[in-house]
Amino acid sequence: MSSGDSPDPGSRADRAASFEQGAAQYASTRPSYPDAAVDWLLPDGARRVLDLAAGTGKLTERLVARGLDVVAVEPSDAMRARLAESVPGAQALPGSAEAIPLPDASVDAVLVAQAWHWFSPAAQPEIARVLRPGGRLGIVWNVRDNAVDWVGRFTEVIHRGDTLEHSYREPVLAEQLFTPPEHRTVPWADRVPTSSLRPLAASRSYLLTLPDARREELLREIDDLVATHPALAGRTEVDLPYLAECWRADVLTTASDDA
């Protein structure tokens, strides 16, 4: 770490807990998920689906729009309140990946958007427990396409000094519980106001846990990027390109099978 970098602002648990204070920014700035990715993650014939660590409901709303029976489990009270308000068609419950408030073998799929990296190993047997025989685990991350110049610069600023590893690695699944994960990348773009890039940056867990002065310093760099980069300067809207990185695996066993 260079002398100009901020010290590590907190543990992984602190970073996860930071979304309690950032729920409003998260809801207003984070992207949804492309239909092609959701279609690939869901098993054929799925009817009841759990959105686990559902946040403010970005994926939940895509599932409800398909006419599915959706349960959304989210530990943050602030984020769950946003979800319940914005996606009233889903059942929103408090809970965590390690303590899912659902009966055994009760859902056809468990989908996890932008959250797998927060889970402990205890989550996998819990997920297997609530899946019906033949049910599916689907994991997705929206990853900014840093091959686009301004996007790469945006990413460099908001991760400068960040000591945590990138979250969007292939999930390591317990081979006694799940089939080997399949992977697919779905490119897409979110049309956003350029004015939203600052609050989008501010919604990141790293910035949420930084000291105020350091956070403001990085956000001023985002302001400067928007004002001066040829792809952004003078524009009110821009396409923010993403790669939806998707993994899926089918459950091999459930708690009810072992009983």
Side-chain angles (χ1 to χ4, degrees):
M1 181 181 296
S2 71
S3 59
D5 288 331
S6 172
D8 184 9
S11 67
R12 182 174 290 273
D14 293 335
R15 296 277 288 271
S18 70
F19 292 115
E20 182 74 11
Q21 60 178 298
Q25 289 173 324
Y26 197 107
S28 64
T29 63
R30 292 296 184 99
S32 184
Y33 295 88
D35 287 338
V38 180
D39 289 342
W40 186 79
L41 292 168
L42 287 170
D44 292 340
R47 298 183 62 186
R48 183 167 171 81
V49 177
L50 167 61
D51 185 1
L52 184 57
T56 61
K58 294 292 184 176
L59 178 61
T60 316
E61 63 186 1
R62 306 307 307 146
L63 299 172
V64 169
R66 284 168 163 71
L68 298 169
D69 179 7
V70 182
V71 181
V73 169
E74 169 54 44
S76 164
D77 292 341
M79 298 191 90
R80 193 173 61 257
R82 291 270 174 177
L83 186 155
E85 180 180 352
S86 62
V87 196
Q91 181 186 13
L93 299 175
S96 70
E98 297 78 15
I100 300 171
L102 292 178
D104 295 355
S106 58
V107 295
D108 300 310
V110 174
L111 299 192
V112 181
Q114 225 76 13
W116 184 260
H117 53 300
W118 300 122
F119 296 176
S120 77
Q124 295 195 38
E126 263 294 87
I127 291 169
R129 179 185 66 79
V130 302
L131 280 169
R132 292 172 178 148
R136 177 174 295 167
L137 167 63
I139 300 167
V140 58
W141 279 282
N142 276 320
V143 181
R144 289 178 303 277
D145 186 355
N146 293 318
V148 176
D149 183 73
W150 77 264
V151 180
R153 296 189 189 192
F154 178 90
T155 296
E156 187 279 324
V157 172
I158 66 174
H159 286 289
R160 191 180 301 153
D162 192 352
T163 59
L164 288 188
E165 297 180 80
H166 290 302
S167 58
Y168 47 91
R169 300 180 299 276
E170 178 176 348
V172 178
L173 301 181
E175 61 183 15
Q176 72 273 23
L177 295 177
F178 298 99
T179 58
E182 300 175 75
H183 174 249
R184 177 169 293 186
T185 299
V186 179
W188 73 289
D190 191 26
R191 187 74 173 173
V192 300
T194 52
S195 60
S196 74
L197 293 175
R198 178 187 171 102
L200 174 61
S203 76
R204 310 300 303 183
S205 66
Y206 176 54
L207 272 78
L208 285 168
T209 53
L210 282 175
D212 291 347
R214 178 58 173 160
R215 178 170 59 252
E216 184 59 29
E217 180 183 341
L218 294 178
L219 291 175
R220 282 198 300 268
E221 288 201 42
I222 296 298
D223 293 340
D224 185 64
L225 178 72
V226 173
T228 63
H229 194 283
L232 301 174
R235 301 187 62 178
T236 58
E237 289 187 327
V238 68
D239 283 333
L240 176 48
Y242 285 97
L243 304 174
E245 299 290 356
C246 309
W247 283 268
R248 67 184 185 187
D250 292 339
V251 69
L252 294 174
T253 184
T254 67
S256 58
D257 292 333
D258 293 336

